[in-house]
Amino acid sequence: MENNTQEKIYKENNRLYTKGVKVTKVLISTVYSVIDPVMLSITRLGIGKVILIADKDPDENQKKSIDLLKKSLGNVVELKTIKTEVYDIVKVAEEVVKAIDLLSDKDQIFINVTGSRKTQSLGLLFAAYARIKKINQIVYAIEKQNKMVYLPKLSYNLTNSQKDVLEYISRNKVKSHAEFANKIKLSR
């Protein structure tokens, strides 16, 4: 019974109420063999929901970490997992952008890029930059010092013509700069 009460208190403390509307603090984090960076973020930031970025085919280390987080957090913090390709930065970013877009605009979103492979962390970071207006903070945990470093919030502010260029490049093989400029009707 006491454990249930503690869980309720923790859950209520990790939700903010703004003008009567419930706001959840959400952590989107990479994870690998050590759960300390995730746990540090959860406790320091008062997180109520965690979305883990994991490998599509996780090895034993990552499986153990995810299981340990599930057991440790229990019913206190909601935990979801997004499985992605390890070395495909774009796919990781796309999956995380989808997850960010599904979250409520009222939620406070925190990003932790500490764990896992660098490619997954970069994909997570690029997704955060793509949706920077929805992101509260981006953090990196220094495990040995039990500290968090706050990363700058950068954004891509693309013009319509820049978006056209990127879309054209993603759909076509570009042979020369001049041909490319002519096809999309932009100056060189």
Side-chain angles (χ1 to χ4, degrees):
M1 188 69 161
E2 182 178 299
N3 191 26
N4 246 355
T5 305
Q6 288 174 335
E7 286 175 11
K8 285 179 184 176
I9 291 169
Y10 185 84
K11 282 182 178 181
E12 288 306 310
N13 287 340
N14 291 316
R15 288 186 174 78
L16 304 173
Y17 289 87
T18 307
K19 296 182 182 176
V21 177
K22 181 176 70 170
V23 178
T24 301
K25 289 185 175 184
V26 179
L27 175 68
I28 304 176
S29 180
T30 53
V31 63
Y32 188 62
S33 61
V34 179
I35 66 167
D36 295 353
V38 178
M39 294 302 287
L40 179 65
S41 298
I42 291 169
T43 55
R44 291 273 172 89
L45 300 170
I47 299 299
K49 178 178 183 176
V50 177
I51 301 172
L52 297 174
I53 309 304
D55 303 350
K56 228 177 206 169
D57 297 313
D59 65 13
E60 284 306 309
N61 289 328
Q62 193 174 53
K63 284 180 186 175
K64 286 178 185 175
S65 293
I66 292 170
D67 288 343
L68 184 57
L69 281 167
K70 285 178 181 175
K71 289 176 186 169
S72 301
L73 300 173
N75 295 324
V76 177
V77 175
E78 183 182 347
L79 185 81
K80 305 262 185 208
T81 304
I82 297 174
K83 295 194 174 203
T84 64
E85 295 294 334
V86 181
Y87 298 106
D88 192 338
I89 295 171
V90 174
K91 287 282 186 211
V92 173
E94 287 173 346
E95 291 300 316
V96 174
V97 163
K98 286 179 195 174
I100 291 170
D101 289 345
L102 290 173
L103 293 170
S104 168
D105 289 337
K106 308 255 187 288
D107 289 341
Q108 291 185 350
I109 304 171
F110 298 85
I111 303 293
N112 178 352
V113 296
T114 310
S116 198
R117 302 275 183 219
K118 289 178 182 80
T119 49
Q120 281 186 320
S121 293
L122 284 171
L124 175 56
L125 187 62
F126 292 150
Y129 289 158
R131 295 294 185 264
I132 202 65
K133 289 182 180 175
K134 295 181 94 175
I135 305 301
N136 254 41
Q137 291 178 325
I138 303 169
V139 300
Y140 180 87
I142 303 173
E143 299 167 51
K144 291 181 177 152
Q145 297 176 9
N146 206 25
K147 282 176 42 177
M148 291 191 339
V149 176
Y150 297 92
L151 303 178
K153 289 173 53 176
L154 307 175
S155 65
Y156 328 120
N157 294 321
L158 299 177
T159 64
N160 286 335
S161 59
Q162 289 170 328
K163 289 177 187 175
D164 291 343
V165 168
L166 291 174
E167 286 175 14
Y168 182 85
I169 290 171
S170 73
R171 287 190 311 260
N172 302 288
K173 291 183 180 177
V174 177
K175 295 177 185 168
S176 75
H177 184 261
E179 176 189 339
F180 176 63
N182 288 332
K183 285 193 176 183
I184 60 169
K185 297 180 176 114
L186 291 176
S187 65
R188 292 181 205 169

mmCIF file of all heavy atoms in Angstrom, residues 23-70:
data_model
loop_
_atom_site.group_PDB
_atom_site.id
_atom_site.type_symbol
_atom_site.label_atom_id
_atom_site.label_comp_id
_atom_site.label_asym_id
_atom_site.label_seq_id
_atom_site.Cartn_x
_atom_site.Cartn_y
_atom_site.Cartn_z
ATOM 1 N N VAL A 23 0.487 18.725 -17.816
ATOM 2 C CA VAL A 23 1.674 18.770 -18.667
ATOM 3 C C VAL A 23 2.622 17.684 -18.171
ATOM 4 O O VAL A 23 2.958 17.644 -16.997
ATOM 5 C CB VAL A 23 2.372 20.145 -18.576
ATOM 6 C CG1 VAL A 23 3.624 20.161 -19.430
ATOM 7 C CG2 VAL A 23 1.430 21.262 -18.981
ATOM 8 N N THR A 24 3.052 16.818 -19.082
ATOM 9 C CA THR A 24 3.973 15.745 -18.711
ATOM 10 C C THR A 24 5.367 16.093 -19.201
ATOM 11 O O THR A 24 5.537 16.580 -20.310
ATOM 12 C CB THR A 24 3.520 14.412 -19.344
ATOM 13 O OG1 THR A 24 2.203 14.118 -18.890
ATOM 14 C CG2 THR A 24 4.453 13.272 -18.963
ATOM 15 N N LYS A 25 6.347 15.818 -18.354
ATOM 16 C CA LYS A 25 7.742 15.968 -18.765
ATOM 17 C C LYS A 25 8.153 14.653 -19.413
ATOM 18 O O LYS A 25 8.102 13.606 -18.783
ATOM 19 C CB LYS A 25 8.637 16.272 -17.571
ATOM 20 C CG LYS A 25 8.438 17.660 -17.009
ATOM 21 C CD LYS A 25 9.444 17.916 -15.909
ATOM 22 C CE LYS A 25 9.355 19.334 -15.403
ATOM 23 N NZ LYS A 25 10.410 19.591 -14.403
ATOM 24 N N VAL A 26 8.557 14.732 -20.689
ATOM 25 C CA VAL A 26 8.882 13.551 -21.475
ATOM 26 C C VAL A 26 10.376 13.553 -21.789
ATOM 27 O O VAL A 26 10.915 14.562 -22.241
ATOM 28 C CB VAL A 26 8.080 13.523 -22.797
ATOM 29 C CG1 VAL A 26 8.435 12.300 -23.626
ATOM 30 C CG2 VAL A 26 6.587 13.588 -22.528
ATOM 31 N N LEU A 27 11.029 12.428 -21.555
ATOM 32 C CA LEU A 27 12.432 12.259 -21.902
ATOM 33 C C LEU A 27 12.529 11.303 -23.083
ATOM 34 O O LEU A 27 12.004 10.197 -23.036
ATOM 35 C CB LEU A 27 13.226 11.677 -20.730
ATOM 36 C CG LEU A 27 14.694 11.349 -21.022
ATOM 37 C CD1 LEU A 27 15.498 12.627 -21.246
ATOM 38 C CD2 LEU A 27 15.297 10.531 -19.885
ATOM 39 N N ILE A 28 13.185 11.753 -24.161
ATOM 40 C CA ILE A 28 13.499 10.877 -25.285
ATOM 41 C C ILE A 28 14.998 10.649 -25.198
ATOM 42 O O ILE A 28 15.781 11.599 -25.227
ATOM 43 C CB ILE A 28 13.096 11.489 -26.635
ATOM 44 C CG1 ILE A 28 11.605 11.846 -26.642
ATOM 45 C CG2 ILE A 28 13.438 10.529 -27.776
ATOM 46 C CD1 ILE A 28 11.122 12.545 -27.905
ATOM 47 N N SER A 29 15.394 9.385 -25.059
ATOM 48 C CA SER A 29 16.787 9.086 -24.759
ATOM 49 C C SER A 29 17.291 7.854 -25.493
ATOM 50 O O SER A 29 16.563 6.882 -25.655
ATOM 51 C CB SER A 29 16.948 8.851 -23.252
ATOM 52 O OG SER A 29 18.280 8.555 -22.919
ATOM 53 N N THR A 30 18.551 7.917 -25.896
ATOM 54 C CA THR A 30 19.225 6.722 -26.371
ATOM 55 C C THR A 30 19.625 5.910 -25.148
ATOM 56 O O THR A 30 19.729 6.445 -24.045
ATOM 57 C CB THR A 30 20.477 7.096 -27.195
ATOM 58 O OG1 THR A 30 21.290 7.979 -26.432
ATOM 59 C CG2 THR A 30 20.098 7.746 -28.512
ATOM 60 N N VAL A 31 19.838 4.609 -25.352
ATOM 61 C CA VAL A 31 20.228 3.734 -24.244
ATOM 62 C C VAL A 31 21.097 2.616 -24.800
ATOM 63 O O VAL A 31 20.889 2.163 -25.929
ATOM 64 C CB VAL A 31 18.994 3.157 -23.508
ATOM 65 C CG1 VAL A 31 18.161 2.274 -24.408
ATOM 66 C CG2 VAL A 31 19.395 2.430 -22.242
ATOM 67 N N TYR A 32 22.076 2.202 -24.011
ATOM 68 C CA TYR A 32 22.869 1.039 -24.418
ATOM 69 C C TYR A 32 23.136 0.156 -23.215
ATOM 70 O O TYR A 32 22.223 -0.406 -22.645
ATOM 71 C CB TYR A 32 24.155 1.432 -25.156
ATOM 72 C CG TYR A 32 24.843 0.227 -25.738
ATOM 73 C CD1 TYR A 32 24.215 -0.550 -26.708
ATOM 74 C CD2 TYR A 32 26.089 -0.180 -25.291
ATOM 75 C CE1 TYR A 32 24.817 -1.691 -27.223
ATOM 76 C CE2 TYR A 32 26.704 -1.322 -25.811
ATOM 77 C CZ TYR A 32 26.063 -2.064 -26.773
ATOM 78 O OH TYR A 32 26.655 -3.193 -27.275
ATOM 79 N N SER A 33 24.376 0.046 -22.770
ATOM 80 C CA SER A 33 24.701 -0.934 -21.734
ATOM 81 C C SER A 33 24.626 -0.386 -20.313
ATOM 82 O O SER A 33 24.585 -1.147 -19.366
ATOM 83 C CB SER A 33 26.094 -1.516 -21.979
ATOM 84 O OG SER A 33 27.058 -0.492 -21.939
ATOM 85 N N VAL A 34 24.605 0.920 -20.161
ATOM 86 C CA VAL A 34 24.564 1.533 -18.834
ATOM 87 C C VAL A 34 23.308 2.402 -18.752
ATOM 88 O O VAL A 34 23.054 3.202 -19.639
ATOM 89 C CB VAL A 34 25.828 2.407 -18.602
ATOM 90 C CG1 VAL A 34 25.787 3.061 -17.252
ATOM 91 C CG2 VAL A 34 27.089 1.590 -18.773
ATOM 92 N N ILE A 35 22.547 2.243 -17.673
ATOM 93 C CA ILE A 35 21.306 3.023 -17.545
ATOM 94 C C ILE A 35 21.506 4.321 -16.761
ATOM 95 O O ILE A 35 20.593 5.131 -16.671
ATOM 96 C CB ILE A 35 20.170 2.190 -16.905
ATOM 97 C CG1 ILE A 35 20.496 1.834 -15.454
ATOM 98 C CG2 ILE A 35 19.865 0.967 -17.742
ATOM 99 C CD1 ILE A 35 19.313 1.307 -14.674
ATOM 100 N N ASP A 36 22.688 4.529 -16.204
ATOM 101 C CA ASP A 36 22.934 5.709 -15.367
ATOM 102 C C ASP A 36 22.568 7.035 -16.038
ATOM 103 O O ASP A 36 21.931 7.883 -15.407
ATOM 104 C CB ASP A 36 24.387 5.743 -14.894
ATOM 105 C CG ASP A 36 24.724 4.575 -13.976
ATOM 106 O OD1 ASP A 36 23.800 3.820 -13.601
ATOM 107 O OD2 ASP A 36 25.912 4.413 -13.638
ATOM 108 N N PRO A 37 22.931 7.267 -17.317
ATOM 109 C CA PRO A 37 22.565 8.547 -17.929
ATOM 110 C C PRO A 37 21.055 8.760 -18.016
ATOM 111 O O PRO A 37 20.561 9.872 -17.823
ATOM 112 C CB PRO A 37 23.171 8.469 -19.333
ATOM 113 C CG PRO A 37 24.222 7.433 -19.260
ATOM 114 C CD PRO A 37 23.778 6.470 -18.210
ATOM 115 N N VAL A 38 20.325 7.681 -18.271
ATOM 116 C CA VAL A 38 18.866 7.784 -18.348
ATOM 117 C C VAL A 38 18.302 8.072 -16.957
ATOM 118 O O VAL A 38 17.464 8.969 -16.787
ATOM 119 C CB VAL A 38 18.247 6.496 -18.942
ATOM 120 C CG1 VAL A 38 16.721 6.590 -18.977
ATOM 121 C CG2 VAL A 38 18.806 6.220 -20.334
ATOM 122 N N MET A 39 18.773 7.339 -15.961
ATOM 123 C CA MET A 39 18.282 7.537 -14.590
ATOM 124 C C MET A 39 18.638 8.927 -14.064
ATOM 125 O O MET A 39 17.830 9.567 -13.383
ATOM 126 C CB MET A 39 18.836 6.448 -13.665
ATOM 127 C CG MET A 39 18.322 5.047 -13.987
ATOM 128 S SD MET A 39 16.519 4.901 -13.934
ATOM 129 C CE MET A 39 16.240 4.967 -12.177
ATOM 130 N N LEU A 40 19.834 9.412 -14.380
ATOM 131 C CA LEU A 40 20.242 10.759 -13.969
ATOM 132 C C LEU A 40 19.293 11.799 -14.557
ATOM 133 O O LEU A 40 18.832 12.700 -13.862
ATOM 134 C CB LEU A 40 21.689 11.037 -14.406
ATOM 135 C CG LEU A 40 22.239 12.419 -14.058
ATOM 136 C CD1 LEU A 40 22.338 12.600 -12.550
ATOM 137 C CD2 LEU A 40 23.603 12.624 -14.718
ATOM 138 N N SER A 41 18.969 11.646 -15.836
ATOM 139 C CA SER A 41 18.046 12.581 -16.492
ATOM 140 C C SER A 41 16.658 12.523 -15.876
ATOM 141 O O SER A 41 16.022 13.554 -15.661
ATOM 142 C CB SER A 41 17.954 12.274 -17.994
ATOM 143 O OG SER A 41 19.197 12.431 -18.617
ATOM 144 N N ILE A 42 16.180 11.321 -15.609
ATOM 145 C CA ILE A 42 14.845 11.158 -15.029
ATOM 146 C C ILE A 42 14.757 11.856 -13.668
ATOM 147 O O ILE A 42 13.813 12.595 -13.396
ATOM 148 C CB ILE A 42 14.475 9.662 -14.896
ATOM 149 C CG1 ILE A 42 14.262 9.057 -16.283
ATOM 150 C CG2 ILE A 42 13.234 9.462 -14.024
ATOM 151 C CD1 ILE A 42 14.162 7.540 -16.289
ATOM 152 N N THR A 43 15.769 11.623 -12.826
ATOM 153 C CA THR A 43 15.710 12.190 -11.473
ATOM 154 C C THR A 43 15.973 13.698 -11.468
ATOM 155 O O THR A 43 15.306 14.429 -10.758
ATOM 156 C CB THR A 43 16.696 11.484 -10.532
ATOM 157 O OG1 THR A 43 18.003 11.531 -11.089
ATOM 158 C CG2 THR A 43 16.299 10.040 -10.314
ATOM 159 N N ARG A 44 16.918 14.161 -12.246
ATOM 160 C CA ARG A 44 17.241 15.594 -12.266
ATOM 161 C C ARG A 44 16.155 16.439 -12.916
ATOM 162 O O ARG A 44 15.935 17.584 -12.523
ATOM 163 C CB ARG A 44 18.558 15.850 -13.009
ATOM 164 C CG ARG A 44 19.772 15.341 -12.309
ATOM 165 C CD ARG A 44 20.302 16.382 -11.313
ATOM 166 N NE ARG A 44 21.358 15.851 -10.493
ATOM 167 C CZ ARG A 44 22.649 15.886 -10.800
ATOM 168 N NH1 ARG A 44 23.038 16.438 -11.915
ATOM 169 N NH2 ARG A 44 23.521 15.372 -9.969
ATOM 170 N N LEU A 45 15.501 15.886 -13.920
ATOM 171 C CA LEU A 45 14.523 16.664 -14.679
ATOM 172 C C LEU A 45 13.085 16.401 -14.239
ATOM 173 O O LEU A 45 12.173 17.069 -14.693
ATOM 174 C CB LEU A 45 14.676 16.378 -16.178
ATOM 175 C CG LEU A 45 16.051 16.707 -16.772
ATOM 176 C CD1 LEU A 45 16.162 16.165 -18.201
ATOM 177 C CD2 LEU A 45 16.313 18.195 -16.727
ATOM 178 N N GLY A 46 12.866 15.418 -13.364
ATOM 179 C CA GLY A 46 11.512 15.117 -12.891
ATOM 180 C C GLY A 46 10.631 14.560 -14.000
ATOM 181 O O GLY A 46 9.502 15.006 -14.193
ATOM 182 N N ILE A 47 11.128 13.579 -14.699
ATOM 183 C CA ILE A 47 10.465 13.028 -15.881
ATOM 184 C C ILE A 47 9.292 12.119 -15.498
ATOM 185 O O ILE A 47 9.380 11.337 -14.564
ATOM 186 C CB ILE A 47 11.495 12.241 -16.733
ATOM 187 C CG1 ILE A 47 12.620 13.158 -17.215
ATOM 188 C CG2 ILE A 47 10.835 11.499 -17.878
ATOM 189 C CD1 ILE A 47 12.190 14.314 -18.097
ATOM 190 N N GLY A 48 8.199 12.210 -16.261
ATOM 191 C CA GLY A 48 7.026 11.379 -16.042
ATOM 192 C C GLY A 48 6.815 10.330 -17.121
ATOM 193 O O GLY A 48 6.063 9.382 -16.949
ATOM 194 N N LYS A 49 7.504 10.499 -18.281
ATOM 195 C CA LYS A 49 7.370 9.546 -19.385
ATOM 196 C C LYS A 49 8.723 9.460 -20.087
ATOM 197 O O LYS A 49 9.368 10.476 -20.317
ATOM 198 C CB LYS A 49 6.298 10.018 -20.376
ATOM 199 C CG LYS A 49 6.115 9.117 -21.581
ATOM 200 C CD LYS A 49 5.010 9.651 -22.476
ATOM 201 C CE LYS A 49 4.773 8.713 -23.640
ATOM 202 N NZ LYS A 49 3.639 9.174 -24.459
ATOM 203 N N VAL A 50 9.132 8.232 -20.439
ATOM 204 C CA VAL A 50 10.414 8.014 -21.109
ATOM 205 C C VAL A 50 10.179 7.280 -22.422
ATOM 206 O O VAL A 50 9.446 6.291 -22.462
ATOM 207 C CB VAL A 50 11.380 7.184 -20.234
ATOM 208 C CG1 VAL A 50 12.676 6.896 -20.974
ATOM 209 C CG2 VAL A 50 11.664 7.895 -18.918
ATOM 210 N N ILE A 51 10.813 7.781 -23.476
ATOM 211 C CA ILE A 51 10.814 7.102 -24.769
ATOM 212 C C ILE A 51 12.267 6.758 -25.062
ATOM 213 O O ILE A 51 13.105 7.648 -25.203
ATOM 214 C CB ILE A 51 10.222 7.986 -25.885
ATOM 215 C CG1 ILE A 51 8.781 8.372 -25.550
ATOM 216 C CG2 ILE A 51 10.312 7.272 -27.233
ATOM 217 C CD1 ILE A 51 8.165 9.395 -26.492
ATOM 218 N N LEU A 52 12.559 5.457 -25.120
ATOM 219 C CA LEU A 52 13.919 4.996 -25.362
ATOM 220 C C LEU A 52 14.137 4.725 -26.848
ATOM 221 O O LEU A 52 13.265 4.153 -27.506
ATOM 222 C CB LEU A 52 14.203 3.712 -24.587
ATOM 223 C CG LEU A 52 14.153 3.812 -23.063
ATOM 224 C CD1 LEU A 52 14.297 2.428 -22.446
ATOM 225 C CD2 LEU A 52 15.240 4.743 -22.555
ATOM 226 N N ILE A 53 15.291 5.112 -27.344
ATOM 227 C CA ILE A 53 15.682 4.806 -28.714
ATOM 228 C C ILE A 53 16.610 3.597 -28.638
ATOM 229 O O ILE A 53 17.685 3.677 -28.041
ATOM 230 C CB ILE A 53 16.412 6.001 -29.383
ATOM 231 C CG1 ILE A 53 15.604 7.295 -29.227
ATOM 232 C CG2 ILE A 53 16.724 5.687 -30.849
ATOM 233 C CD1 ILE A 53 14.193 7.237 -29.758
ATOM 234 N N ALA A 54 16.184 2.483 -29.220
ATOM 235 C CA ALA A 54 16.936 1.229 -29.120
ATOM 236 C C ALA A 54 17.180 0.653 -30.509
ATOM 237 O O ALA A 54 16.536 1.042 -31.488
ATOM 238 C CB ALA A 54 16.158 0.232 -28.269
ATOM 239 N N ASP A 55 18.091 -0.287 -30.578
ATOM 240 C CA ASP A 55 18.407 -0.965 -31.831
ATOM 241 C C ASP A 55 17.248 -1.872 -32.238
ATOM 242 O O ASP A 55 16.583 -2.452 -31.380
ATOM 243 C CB ASP A 55 19.660 -1.825 -31.688
ATOM 244 C CG ASP A 55 20.873 -1.035 -31.234
ATOM 245 O OD1 ASP A 55 20.806 0.213 -31.217
ATOM 246 O OD2 ASP A 55 21.879 -1.659 -30.893
ATOM 247 N N LYS A 56 17.055 -2.018 -33.546
ATOM 248 C CA LYS A 56 16.031 -2.936 -34.042
ATOM 249 C C LYS A 56 16.310 -4.364 -33.570
ATOM 250 O O LYS A 56 15.407 -5.093 -33.209
ATOM 251 C CB LYS A 56 15.988 -2.881 -35.568
ATOM 252 C CG LYS A 56 14.626 -2.740 -36.117
ATOM 253 C CD LYS A 56 14.615 -2.604 -37.610
ATOM 254 C CE LYS A 56 13.353 -1.856 -37.974
ATOM 255 N NZ LYS A 56 13.296 -1.428 -39.331
ATOM 256 N N ASP A 57 17.580 -4.737 -33.600
ATOM 257 C CA ASP A 57 18.016 -6.050 -33.105
ATOM 258 C C ASP A 57 18.999 -5.816 -31.958
ATOM 259 O O ASP A 57 20.211 -5.876 -32.150
ATOM 260 C CB ASP A 57 18.701 -6.850 -34.226
ATOM 261 C CG ASP A 57 17.758 -7.149 -35.369
ATOM 262 O OD1 ASP A 57 16.624 -7.586 -35.084
ATOM 263 O OD2 ASP A 57 18.152 -6.941 -36.532
ATOM 264 N N PRO A 58 18.482 -5.547 -30.761
ATOM 265 C CA PRO A 58 19.373 -5.200 -29.646
ATOM 266 C C PRO A 58 20.238 -6.386 -29.202
ATOM 267 O O PRO A 58 19.789 -7.530 -29.248
ATOM 268 C CB PRO A 58 18.415 -4.783 -28.540
ATOM 269 C CG PRO A 58 17.133 -5.459 -28.873
ATOM 270 C CD PRO A 58 17.090 -5.598 -30.362
ATOM 271 N N ASP A 59 21.463 -6.090 -28.791
ATOM 272 C CA ASP A 59 22.311 -7.145 -28.242
ATOM 273 C C ASP A 59 21.938 -7.352 -26.771
ATOM 274 O O ASP A 59 21.055 -6.678 -26.246
ATOM 275 C CB ASP A 59 23.802 -6.819 -28.430
ATOM 276 C CG ASP A 59 24.245 -5.595 -27.658
ATOM 277 O OD1 ASP A 59 23.512 -5.102 -26.781
ATOM 278 O OD2 ASP A 59 25.367 -5.112 -27.937
ATOM 279 N N GLU A 60 22.603 -8.281 -26.126
ATOM 280 C CA GLU A 60 22.271 -8.630 -24.739
ATOM 281 C C GLU A 60 22.442 -7.444 -23.787
ATOM 282 O O GLU A 60 21.641 -7.264 -22.862
ATOM 283 C CB GLU A 60 23.114 -9.818 -24.264
ATOM 284 C CG GLU A 60 22.650 -11.142 -24.815
ATOM 285 C CD GLU A 60 21.177 -11.418 -24.556
ATOM 286 O OE1 GLU A 60 20.727 -11.302 -23.388
ATOM 287 O OE2 GLU A 60 20.456 -11.750 -25.521
ATOM 288 N N ASN A 61 23.475 -6.626 -23.997
ATOM 289 C CA ASN A 61 23.707 -5.461 -23.131
ATOM 290 C C ASN A 61 22.526 -4.504 -23.164
ATOM 291 O O ASN A 61 22.042 -4.043 -22.128
ATOM 292 C CB ASN A 61 24.977 -4.711 -23.540
ATOM 293 C CG ASN A 61 26.225 -5.473 -23.220
ATOM 294 O OD1 ASN A 61 26.281 -6.218 -22.248
ATOM 295 N ND2 ASN A 61 27.244 -5.298 -24.051
ATOM 296 N N GLN A 62 22.062 -4.194 -24.367
ATOM 297 C CA GLN A 62 20.948 -3.258 -24.487
ATOM 298 C C GLN A 62 19.652 -3.862 -23.948
ATOM 299 O O GLN A 62 18.882 -3.178 -23.272
ATOM 300 C CB GLN A 62 20.776 -2.814 -25.933
ATOM 301 C CG GLN A 62 19.849 -1.608 -26.063
ATOM 302 C CD GLN A 62 19.786 -1.063 -27.457
ATOM 303 O OE1 GLN A 62 19.513 -1.806 -28.397
ATOM 304 N NE2 GLN A 62 20.032 0.223 -27.605
ATOM 305 N N LYS A 63 19.434 -5.153 -24.212
ATOM 306 C CA LYS A 63 18.238 -5.824 -23.677
ATOM 307 C C LYS A 63 18.222 -5.756 -22.152
ATOM 308 O O LYS A 63 17.190 -5.453 -21.548
ATOM 309 C CB LYS A 63 18.197 -7.286 -24.125
ATOM 310 C CG LYS A 63 17.776 -7.498 -25.551
ATOM 311 C CD LYS A 63 17.779 -8.985 -25.883
ATOM 312 C CE LYS A 63 17.509 -9.231 -27.338
ATOM 313 N NZ LYS A 63 17.623 -10.650 -27.688
ATOM 314 N N LYS A 64 19.367 -6.040 -21.545
ATOM 315 C CA LYS A 64 19.458 -6.000 -20.078
ATOM 316 C C LYS A 64 19.181 -4.594 -19.550
ATOM 317 O O LYS A 64 18.486 -4.435 -18.542
ATOM 318 C CB LYS A 64 20.836 -6.468 -19.613
ATOM 319 C CG LYS A 64 21.053 -7.956 -19.728
ATOM 320 C CD LYS A 64 22.449 -8.346 -19.292
ATOM 321 C CE LYS A 64 22.709 -9.819 -19.533
ATOM 322 N NZ LYS A 64 24.098 -10.193 -19.235
ATOM 323 N N SER A 65 19.715 -3.592 -20.216
ATOM 324 C CA SER A 65 19.499 -2.209 -19.770
ATOM 325 C C SER A 65 18.028 -1.818 -19.841
ATOM 326 O O SER A 65 17.493 -1.219 -18.910
ATOM 327 C CB SER A 65 20.327 -1.240 -20.628
ATOM 328 O OG SER A 65 21.693 -1.437 -20.405
ATOM 329 N N ILE A 66 17.391 -2.175 -20.943
ATOM 330 C CA ILE A 66 15.968 -1.844 -21.102
ATOM 331 C C ILE A 66 15.134 -2.584 -20.057
ATOM 332 O O ILE A 66 14.241 -1.991 -19.433
ATOM 333 C CB ILE A 66 15.500 -2.136 -22.544
ATOM 334 C CG1 ILE A 66 16.184 -1.161 -23.515
ATOM 335 C CG2 ILE A 66 13.976 -2.038 -22.658
ATOM 336 C CD1 ILE A 66 16.001 -1.504 -24.980
ATOM 337 N N ASP A 67 15.436 -3.861 -19.845
ATOM 338 C CA ASP A 67 14.712 -4.634 -18.823
ATOM 339 C C ASP A 67 14.923 -4.040 -17.433
ATOM 340 O O ASP A 67 13.976 -3.939 -16.649
ATOM 341 C CB ASP A 67 15.157 -6.100 -18.836
ATOM 342 C CG ASP A 67 14.655 -6.852 -20.054
ATOM 343 O OD1 ASP A 67 13.703 -6.362 -20.718
ATOM 344 O OD2 ASP A 67 15.226 -7.918 -20.358
ATOM 345 N N LEU A 68 16.140 -3.637 -17.140
ATOM 346 C CA LEU A 68 16.437 -3.041 -15.837
ATOM 347 C C LEU A 68 15.685 -1.719 -15.657
ATOM 348 O O LEU A 68 15.150 -1.451 -14.574
ATOM 349 C CB LEU A 68 17.944 -2.826 -15.668
ATOM 350 C CG LEU A 68 18.417 -2.288 -14.325
ATOM 351 C CD1 LEU A 68 17.966 -3.178 -13.167
ATOM 352 C CD2 LEU A 68 19.944 -2.159 -14.328
ATOM 353 N N LEU A 69 15.609 -0.915 -16.707
ATOM 354 C CA LEU A 69 14.848 0.338 -16.630
ATOM 355 C C LEU A 69 13.365 0.047 -16.395
ATOM 356 O O LEU A 69 12.725 0.711 -15.575
ATOM 357 C CB LEU A 69 15.029 1.159 -17.900
ATOM 358 C CG LEU A 69 16.327 1.940 -18.003
ATOM 359 C CD1 LEU A 69 16.544 2.461 -19.415
ATOM 360 C CD2 LEU A 69 16.351 3.086 -17.004
ATOM 361 N N LYS A 70 12.832 -0.950 -17.081
ATOM 362 C CA LYS A 70 11.422 -1.305 -16.899
ATOM 363 C C LYS A 70 11.158 -1.741 -15.459
ATOM 364 O O LYS A 70 10.171 -1.334 -14.850
ATOM 365 C CB LYS A 70 11.016 -2.425 -17.866
ATOM 366 C CG LYS A 70 10.850 -1.967 -19.288
ATOM 367 C CD LYS A 70 10.496 -3.125 -20.209
ATOM 368 C CE LYS A 70 10.356 -2.656 -21.642
ATOM 369 N NZ LYS A 70 10.124 -3.755 -22.578
#
